[in-house]
Amino acid sequence: MKPIMRRTASLLSAVAVIALAACSSSSSSDDGGGSSIKAGEPIVIAGEGSMTGFSGAEEGVEARLARTNKDGGVNGHPIKFLGITDNGGSADKGLSSVRQLVQRDKVDAIVPEFPTVLSPAAAAFLEQQKVPYVGLGYEASMCNNPAGFAFNGCNVPDVATNPQPALVMNLPKTVDAKDLTGKKVAVVGSNASGGASFVKQIADRAKDLNAEIVFTAADIPASTTNVQAFVDPVLSANPDIVFIVADLVADAAVQGTLLANGFKGQMVNAAAYLPGLIDTLPDLAKALDGSWIVSVVPTPLDNSTVSKQIVADFEAAGKKITFGSLIAYLATDLYIALLEKAGGDPDKVIEVGENFTWDQGQGGFKTTWPAARDQTAQCSGMVRFLNNEYTSVAPFTCV
């Protein structure tokens, strides 16, 4: 199993567990992002971040922009997309990239921002230049910076102040019950910063559903493949459900080791909804077969208004839905909503974002600022990965 996981690690080491892991360039400064937009002038955006695990992201931006630009843009302004700069996981390169996008390319916003290594310096620069950035809420810079907008709220342990009921609200689905009465639950997680906090929150919420918590630990090293020592005490606790809170590599290793040791219960994670990517990794797909997966974004699998719109936009643009393209699509959708609130003026995006609710509608996010600066968007669904296919178990909803 080790060669499988090493290969997976090389592709996906930057894909954090969702549970662990969220204005334009119109500064008057000469080195900023340009002046106030003129009638009919395009709004310019570009993406930035570590792209490992987010293949296809550009197609997600293009799929969402196609609908808006076909309708004439936002208040008469088409949106021009310059592509995504891959910083390769380097904070220094990330800072250089955002400076270049703002100072040379005169972008009005960084969309999407994949904040694996969004450094405080890069975030401070974007704030100073009044250039908003939109993406996932898994770095503190996506939470505590007025220029940052995380569509899923702040998901940074010890920064987010609210509990995580959305992560466990669908756990009873795994045992076909209304709650977890009579069920024994184990929660295992990463030893990364904040891992223990997430393990405790998930265990507490499962306990609220009447589960008996028989084991908790947050001691699994990142991207580890040799997990037998971490799995042995889990097996000794004899749980009915094991909730794994780790990066995808460790997650797959834990699940594979549980299965190899004869575990017959339910295995739940929040990392393995990876449409378009898992298709290219048959060994990983085999290791994760049977998973129950907390979906932290709307998926095309539901019969909701938002899911139908996602599918329609990708089909109309001739683009493929992958995990990366879905994340980028959602970031773009949020930015468009902010622009619409700002009357099509990118200079006003940060200002209107100080008091703003992004409500996608049925089956989508409902995220509110300024609450999202230190609170997680309490939204989730559940999917099952079985026989190399994802199916919806519980639709994406917000609580």
Side-chain angles (χ1 to χ4, degrees), residues 302-320:
D302 295 336
N303 190 33
S304 67
T305 302
V306 168
S307 292
K308 290 176 181 178
Q309 185 66 69
I310 290 171
V311 172
D313 285 343
F314 275 88
E315 288 183 349
K319 306 299 182 181
K320 182 179 179 181

Side-chain angles (χ1 to χ4, degrees), residues 122-167:
F125 171 76
L126 291 170
E127 180 185 7
Q128 187 270 327
Q129 295 295 311
K130 296 182 172 58
V131 176
Y133 53 97
V134 185
L136 287 160
Y138 299 122
E139 287 283 346
S141 51
M142 296 298 298
C143 303
N144 54 23
N145 190 313
F149 295 90
F151 62 74
N152 58 337
C154 179
N155 285 258
V156 180
D158 304 324
V159 177
T161 59
N162 58 334
Q164 302 282 334
L167 286 176

Side-chain angles (χ1 to χ4, degrees), residues 15-21 54 136-138 152 155-156 164 167 198 245-246 270-272 294-297 323 327 376:
V15 181
V17 174
I18 298 305
L20 282 176
F54 296 105
L136 287 160
Y138 299 122
N152 58 337
N155 285 258
V156 180
Q164 302 282 334
L167 286 176
F198 269 113
V245 192
V294 177
S295 57
V296 295
V297 294
F323 181 69
I327 297 301
T376 302

Side-chain angles (χ1 to χ4, degrees), residues 336-358:
I336 289 171
L338 284 161
L339 272 176
E340 290 172 343
K341 179 70 172 179
D345 186 349
D347 295 349
K348 296 181 179 178
V349 164
I350 292 177
E351 178 185 348
V352 301
E354 293 176 357
N355 183 18
F356 178 73
T357 295
W358 178 49

Side-chain angles (χ1 to χ4, degrees), residues 275-338:
L277 180 59
I278 203 165
D279 299 343
T280 68
L281 300 169
D283 293 330
L284 177 65
K286 182 178 179 180
L288 292 171
D289 191 60
S291 292
W292 302 82
I293 304 163
V294 177
S295 57
V296 295
V297 294
T299 77
L301 304 173
D302 295 336
N303 190 33
S304 67
T305 302
V306 168
S307 292
K308 290 176 181 178
Q309 185 66 69
I310 290 171
V311 172
D313 285 343
F314 275 88
E315 288 183 349
K319 306 299 182 181
K320 182 179 179 181
I321 297 177
T322 64
F323 181 69
S325 67
L326 189 54
I327 297 301
Y329 174 98
L330 292 167
T332 308
D333 192 65
L334 170 55
Y335 181 64
I336 289 171
L338 284 161

Side-chain angles (χ1 to χ4, degrees), residues 156-217:
V156 180
D158 304 324
V159 177
T161 59
N162 58 334
Q164 302 282 334
L167 286 176
V168 301
M169 66 183 181
N170 292 310
L171 274 187
K173 297 284 187 180
T174 67
V175 290
D176 194 25
K178 293 182 178 180
D179 61 18
L180 297 175
T181 300
K183 299 300 178 182
K184 294 182 289 185
V185 173
V187 187
V188 294
S190 167
N191 66 358
S193 175
S197 175
F198 269 113
V199 166
K200 183 180 185 303
Q201 288 185 44
I202 290 169
D204 287 346
R205 301 291 77 75
K207 194 172 182 179
D208 291 342
L209 293 170
N210 298 324
E212 177 188 356
I213 307 301
V214 295
F215 181 82
T216 63

Side-chain angles (χ1 to χ4, degrees), residues 112-126:
E113 170 61 53
F114 290 98
T116 310
V117 290
L118 181 63
S119 68
F125 171 76
L126 291 170

